[in-house]
């Protein structure tokens, strides 16, 4: 599995991931918010409080643990 950063401009990594056999499974809202606040980094789109989501992708034929 992998996570793709979903910014207001879209998901730049998605075409590459799809070519590698990955498919979107779930959108995870505010994925980077807590870590960014805790570690003091800022998002280029949102600033200190990153509201970007992450798109969980799995490779075709693979099932995530716990699914």
């Amino acid at each position: 599995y992998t996570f793709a950063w979903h910014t207001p401009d879209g998901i730049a990594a998605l075409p590459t991931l799809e070519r590698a056999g990955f498919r979107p499974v779930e959108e995870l809202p505010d994925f980077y918010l807590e870590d960014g606040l805790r570690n003091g980094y800022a998002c280029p789109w949102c600033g200190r409080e990153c509201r970007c989501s992450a798109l969980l992708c799995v490779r075709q034929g693979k099932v995530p643990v716990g699914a």
Side-chain angles (χ1 to χ4, degrees):
Y1 70 92
T2 189
F3 296 98
W5 186 14
H6 189 174
T7 72
D9 286 345
I11 308 171
L14 191 55
T16 302
L17 292 171
E18 288 178 330
R19 281 192 301 276
F22 287 89
R23 296 292 172 256
V25 173
E26 184 178 354
E27 188 89 19
L28 305 166
D30 297 334
F31 185 77
Y32 305 96
L33 178 62
E34 185 178 329
D35 189 54
L37 291 172
R38 186 180 325 116
N39 293 298
Y41 60 79
C43 170
W45 284 269
C46 307
R48 280 210 15 91
E49 293 187 13
C50 181
R51 297 295 178 173
C52 294
S53 61
L55 184 63
L56 172 63
C57 298
V58 295
R59 194 173 263 169
Q60 253 179 309
K62 304 290 183 183
V63 177
V65 174

